[in-house]
């Protein structure tokens, strides 16, 4: 037996063999690639166009970020973070507070509505249902409407008809209508990406549809749902036209939800429009980038913790 063990060759695991074979298949030398491109010039052209498009996109994004940082960081000063706004210090602290309130309130309104609507469309509505196609077409139409139209609607309905006035609540209600299609569509796609085997396994173990959705399907779709939430937060923070017509431009920390207030994007627009505080407008842009980056990082950490569980 010992002689057999010594003379027998070592047996590699199937996983290692699969990885080795995959590595050999995917590993191509430059000469092999050039031969392939010689045989098919169109594939070489498409490969070049893809690389060029990726490079142009990355270069444009990098240029915008560097340009904002170079022009904004030298203009950051303590007076910009004063508690009270004046025409001398043009403090952005009230706008930061208003931005956070607006983002959280808009997500609290639109988030549950969009997620539960997507759950109904994917998990409960039958395939080929006419109502589903109507809802999807409506959501796609709403996502293509310019923000100024939402602003005019919010001013007519929330500000005037509902007597909310220029307030944080009117702005949040308008923004929730704007981001609702985005959250609904991204959640729907995230739910559709969950394999049907998960649902079938849960049903086979005796779980009901509701338990399957909330214990099996939703946790698996959390990264995709949070991606939609991140996009929605970015749209709320960067919006100006709709909020000027609904939330107003008062540079103060609001006493309540019926008080008027400007967000960072509106604050930046007002400073650049007056042409007296261009440097402070660039500094506001830097802070806006940092706020968006912080919220995106927080969302990514939450998604990672949920998926680990």
């Amino acid at each position: 037996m010992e002689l057999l063990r010594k003379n027998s060759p070592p047996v590699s695991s199937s996983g290692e063999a699969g990885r080795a074979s995959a590595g050999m298949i995917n590993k191509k030398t430059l000469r092999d690639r050039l031969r392939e491109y010689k045989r098919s010039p169109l594939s070489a052209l498409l490969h070049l166009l893809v690389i060029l498009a990726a490079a142009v996109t990355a270069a444009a994004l990098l240029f915008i970020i560097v340009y904002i940082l170079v022009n904004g960081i030298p203009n950051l000063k303590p007076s910009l973070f004063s508690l009270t706004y004046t025409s001398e210090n043009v403090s952005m602290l009230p706008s930061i507070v208003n931005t956070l309130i607006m983002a959280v309130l808009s997500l609290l309104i639109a988030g549950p509505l969009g997620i539960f609507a997507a759950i109904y469309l994917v998990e409960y509505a039958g395939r080929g249902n006419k109502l589903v196609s109507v809802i999807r077409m409506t959501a796609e139409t709403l996502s293509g409407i310019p923000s100024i139209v939402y602003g005019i609607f919010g001013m007519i309905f929330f500000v005037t008809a509902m007597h909310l006035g220029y307030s944080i609540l009117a702005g949040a209600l308008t923004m929730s209508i704007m981001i609702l299609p985005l959250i609904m569509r991204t959640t729907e796609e995230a739910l559709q990406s969950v394999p049907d085997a998960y649902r079938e396994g849960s049903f086979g173990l005796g779980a009901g549809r509701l338990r399957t959705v909330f214990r099996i399907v939703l946790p698996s779709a959390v990264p995709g749902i949070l991606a939609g939430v991140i996009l929605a937060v970015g749209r709320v923070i960067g919006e100006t036209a709709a909020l000027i017509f609904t939330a107003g431009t008062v540079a103060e920390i609001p006493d309540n939800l019926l008080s008027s207030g400007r967000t960072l994007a509106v604050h930046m627009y007002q400073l650049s429009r007056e042409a007296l505080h261009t440097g402070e407008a660039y500094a506001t842009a830097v802070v806006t980038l940092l706020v968006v980056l912080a919220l995106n990082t927080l969302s990514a950490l939450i998604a990672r913790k949920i998926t680990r569980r």
Side-chain angles (χ1 to χ4, degrees):
M1 290 296 290
E2 289 179 2
L3 288 172
L4 285 173
R5 282 175 190 162
K6 286 179 183 178
N7 295 328
S8 61
V11 179
S12 62
S13 63
S14 59
E16 290 177 358
R19 281 194 295 271
S21 60
M24 291 297 292
I25 291 170
N26 293 326
K27 199 173 183 181
K28 292 181 180 178
T29 61
L30 181 61
R31 189 174 295 175
D32 294 335
R33 289 180 182 275
L34 290 175
R35 284 176 187 168
E36 285 184 5
Y37 294 151
K38 254 187 178 179
R39 288 195 298 267
S40 177
L42 183 61
S43 64
L45 179 62
L46 290 175
H47 188 227
L48 183 64
L49 288 175
V50 168
I51 294 175
L52 184 63
V56 168
T57 304
L61 179 63
L62 186 64
F63 172 75
I64 292 171
I65 292 174
V66 170
Y67 183 80
I68 290 173
L69 293 177
V70 168
N71 288 280
I73 289 176
N75 291 292
L76 287 171
K77 47 193 175 183
S79 61
L80 287 175
F81 300 95
S82 301
L83 191 61
T84 307
Y85 172 92
T86 63
S87 57
E88 287 80 20
N89 62 20
V90 290
S91 173
M92 70 174 82
L93 184 61
S95 299
I96 296 173
V97 175
N98 291 330
T99 300
L100 295 176
I101 294 173
M102 188 70 67
V104 171
L105 192 58
S106 301
L107 288 178
L108 286 176
I109 298 170
L113 288 174
I115 292 171
F116 286 126
I119 290 173
Y120 170 76
L121 293 176
V122 176
E123 303 294 336
Y124 289 93
R127 293 183 180 178
N129 193 336
K130 289 184 179 180
L131 180 62
V132 173
S133 60
V134 169
I135 292 174
R136 284 174 180 162
M137 185 180 68
T138 305
E140 290 171 2
T141 305
L142 284 173
S143 61
I145 295 175
S147 59
I148 188 69
V149 177
Y150 284 104
I152 293 171
F153 167 77
M155 184 182 65
I156 294 171
F157 186 70
F158 296 120
V159 175
T160 306
M162 294 186 66
H163 304 289
L164 294 177
Y166 290 102
S167 61
I168 297 291
L169 182 58
L173 289 170
T174 305
M175 291 306 303
S176 64
I177 297 174
M178 285 182 64
I179 64 176
L180 181 61
L182 177 61
I183 294 176
M184 191 174 75
R185 291 296 292 163
T186 51
T187 304
E188 189 179 353
E189 291 172 4
L191 293 172
Q192 287 173 344
S193 67
V194 177
D196 287 335
Y198 289 12
R199 299 175 178 87
E200 292 166 1
S202 179
F203 293 148
L205 292 172
R209 185 176 292 274
L210 187 65
R211 191 178 185 85
T212 299
V213 168
F214 283 95
R215 291 296 184 89
I216 305 298
V217 178
L218 268 182
S220 303
V222 161
I225 295 171
L226 281 179
V229 170
I230 290 170
L231 292 174
V233 168
R235 184 161 189 186
V236 172
I237 293 175
E239 187 54 49
T240 53
L243 293 176
I244 289 174
F245 284 101
T246 54
T249 59
V250 177
E252 292 179 0
I253 297 175
D255 299 323
N256 50 58
L257 294 180
L258 295 178
S259 300
S260 178
R262 66 166 72 166
T263 59
L264 277 170
V266 177
H267 181 72
M268 183 167 49
Y269 167 75
Q270 292 290 333
L271 293 180
S272 59
R273 188 173 68 90
E274 293 167 0
L276 298 174
H277 303 283
T278 306
E280 287 79 359
Y282 279 115
T284 306
V286 172
V287 175
T288 304
L289 280 177
L290 293 177
V291 169
V292 173
L293 181 63
L295 291 174
N296 289 356
T297 305
L298 181 63
S299 301
L301 290 174
I302 293 171
R304 197 173 300 168
K305 280 190 176 181
I306 292 175
T307 48
R308 279 178 184 173
R309 290 178 184 176

